[in-house]
Amino acid sequence: MCRLFALSSRDPVSPMRAIEALNVMKEGHDGSGVGLFLSDLGGPFGEMKDAPILSGIFTDEGLNCLDAYMGERGFVTRKTLVLEPRTKAPLGTPLRGTYMARAYEMPADLKAKSKAEQELAFMLMRVELRRMGEAAENIRVFSFWPDTIMIKEVGDPMAIGEYLGLDRPELDCRRILAQGRQNTNYAINLYACHPFFLQGVCTMTNGENTAFVPIREYLLSRGFPGYMGYQSDSEVFAHIMHYTINRLQFGIEYYKHIITPLSDTEMEAHADRALLARIKQTCRKLIIDGPNCVIGCLPDKTMFMVQDRKKLRPGVVGGKPGIFAFSSEICGLDAAIPDRDQNADFQPMHLDTAIVRPQCQEVTICNQLQSLPRPH
């Protein structure tokens, strides 16, 4: 089992706030690792919103390869944050090299291109750097995207937070996803650690997806270079959301209709039954199976939570105007936002999508039985 915690805040907050919430839920996760997605950054990175930020772990050899690679492509360093360890490495945490986030100035020819072309270039470079470093494990790249930093490591989340000094103000941000477990079903691989990121879409999951293989094969057949990796069966949740909003051009209201469509009986009385029937048929290979609670963040900084058809994993959302949290357990909410109205906490059921928009004013609920906005 693992535990999830996410924050959406009007003002930047420390990622340690999320890690402390994970720590309160420690009986529900094994403390084997931590993964962090940080976006809508404050501090110096917040002053360069358009600059792509490369985040990962690099050996000395890997850094030399990285510098040569980026230099050949005309990228110039604007800001580098090195997470120098502040304590002895926690028990079970290997010594890997340099934990780094580096913002770059794009070359002039890429600046002149459209946003879509820039985003494709960032994704292709991240994939290429990942493949360059996989054999020797000298380059581990978790994201290369504007206004985004990702950190992953083996070890107890609180111990890793202290080890890497994750309370430093350069990491303060408005959107945080935090997960408190490594994938221990197989050999440890940091690319199997949640959250998973692709072109501004990020998700993390508590559960297992027994439909992983057919979903993976379908995504791989789409011919999109970003649909790769799959060291974890949960990575497909991020890629399905990416496919939903980028390839199908549907909004978040459609995500549940793709991964957990209504039954034919439920669909009969739906105002959009003809559309939903087409979606169910066309996207049938993206239907999930197994217990899952999914929390995610979209490119526009909207955050959400959804459940599987049987709601077999815990999940709750609550907060107050200005700051909201998504948590596996209520005690995580209590730790992060103790002064909220607890009577307004909401536990999404199997038909619900709980949504917090970037303005952080309220939690809105989208139910699969409701009529849908037209996507085009």
Side-chain angles (χ1 to χ4, degrees), residues 18 26 30 40 53 76 101 128-129 138 150 156 182 196 223 231 235 242 276 283 300 302 304 326 333 337 356:
K26 193 169 183 177
D30 60 13
D40 211 348
I53 302 171
V76 178
E128 188 171 11
L129 283 166
N138 57 0
M150 295 193 73
D156 177 78
Q182 275 290 339
F196 301 105
Q231 269 76 23
E235 189 164 9
H242 178 275
L276 292 180
C283 300
D300 69 355
T302 293
F304 68 92
F326 301 78
L333 276 182
I337 315 175
V356 174

Side-chain angles (χ1 to χ4, degrees), residues 191-207:
Y191 287 122
C193 178
H194 307 223
F196 301 105
F197 180 84
L198 178 60
Q199 289 193 313
V201 174
C202 191
T203 69
M204 57 186 181
T205 305
N206 176 16

